[in-house]
Amino acid sequence: MLPVCYDPYAGTLGRWTRAEIFNLVAEAGYEGINIPVNAAFLGELSAAEITDAINLAEQYNLIAPTIGFGNHILTTPAKKDEALKHFEIVLEVARGFEADVIGVWVNPSAEASREESLETLAENLSRMLEPCQENGLKIALEFEKGCPLDNYREGVAFIEETGLPVYLTCDTYHLFNDGAEPRAAAHAMKACLGDVHLSGSNRGEPGGGVFDFETFARGLKEIGFAGPLVVQYKMEDVASIKRSCEFTKKFRAMIQK
């Protein structure tokens, strides 16, 4: 599968309207778009806002295989009820787009230790999994330096220790900041890799900086990765949207050859 998708991330959100973003993404040649479930992209998160986004995806012939859990509170002990209410909206969006993956950034919580944060995350996930499985959805956890899941090793360990049937999101920027060997990391995540985010090593457009995309592609090919490839970077030059799509399609070709 390996659809090439664009994430309306920093530099994109707030610069254009939702309709303009869909148009930019389609014109740049992407096959899909990530849908962040937050006010910046979906306004009041109402049924009308969600329907409008679904209609735009159909209009521009874009799929949305990944949905972003926009309220970053799944690690906060005092906000379990709020997190699950937000999940209900995320699930509605995912069903509407016939998505495959709900992406969760495992954010640090100022109100809890790492251990408490991960315990809270596990409890919330355990309550989210059944409705996800009923709708053919995976939950993918994104690791990042300084977060409760600091790197891919801690991500794999969390899944193994909890026994939860969840997956990982591997962002090349976070992989680079961890100093990880890309091919070895891909192999380590083989059983639990849900999707991949592509970014330059400086958080600029994919292909910028010094991250070894070729070695990473080799690893993804060897493990038979077939999930979404999501371009996520701090966008400054609008022309970079198309360049990033072209780069990612070349990256995909390296995986598939």
Side-chain angles (χ1 to χ4, degrees), residues 3-4 12 16 30 38 43 55 73 116 124 126 136 194 212 219 229 240:
V4 173
T12 298
W16 294 287
Y30 288 88
N38 57 31
N55 289 340
I73 54 174
E116 291 170 328
N124 283 327
S126 67
D212 188 350
L229 299 173
S240 69

Side-chain angles (χ1 to χ4, degrees), residues 75-79 108-113 116-117:
T75 60
T76 305
K79 295 186 176 180
S109 173
E111 303 174 21
S113 66
E116 291 170 328
S117 294

Side-chain angles (χ1 to χ4, degrees), residues 36-60:
V37 183
N38 57 31
F41 194 71
L42 289 179
E44 299 178 354
L45 308 184
S46 65
E49 297 271 16
I50 294 168
T51 298
D52 178 67
I54 292 171
N55 289 340
L56 284 168
E58 293 176 351
Q59 176 184 340
Y60 288 102

Side-chain angles (χ1 to χ4, degrees), residues 145-234:
K145 302 304 293 180
C147 291
L149 296 181
D150 180 88
N151 53 66
Y152 76 86
R153 298 173 299 282
E154 291 187 359
V156 172
F158 174 80
I159 293 171
E160 292 177 345
E161 290 167 7
T162 62
L164 294 170
V166 295
Y167 297 79
L168 294 178
T169 293
C170 180
D171 188 309
T172 58
Y173 177 66
H174 303 324
L175 205 59
F176 174 79
N177 287 335
D178 182 50
E181 200 286 319
R183 183 172 172 235
H187 279 269
M189 292 183 283
K190 177 180 180 178
C192 56
L193 184 56
D195 62 337
V196 168
H197 289 178
L198 281 83
S199 169
S201 60
N202 56 358
R203 209 33 156 179
E205 62 186 275
V210 295
F211 180 76
D212 188 350
F213 282 95
E214 185 174 346
T215 297
F216 188 43
R218 187 181 313 126
L220 293 177
K221 177 182 179 179
E222 290 167 349
I223 68 170
F225 176 71
L229 299 173
V230 182
V231 170
Q232 185 190 81
Y233 69 104
K234 292 181 180 178

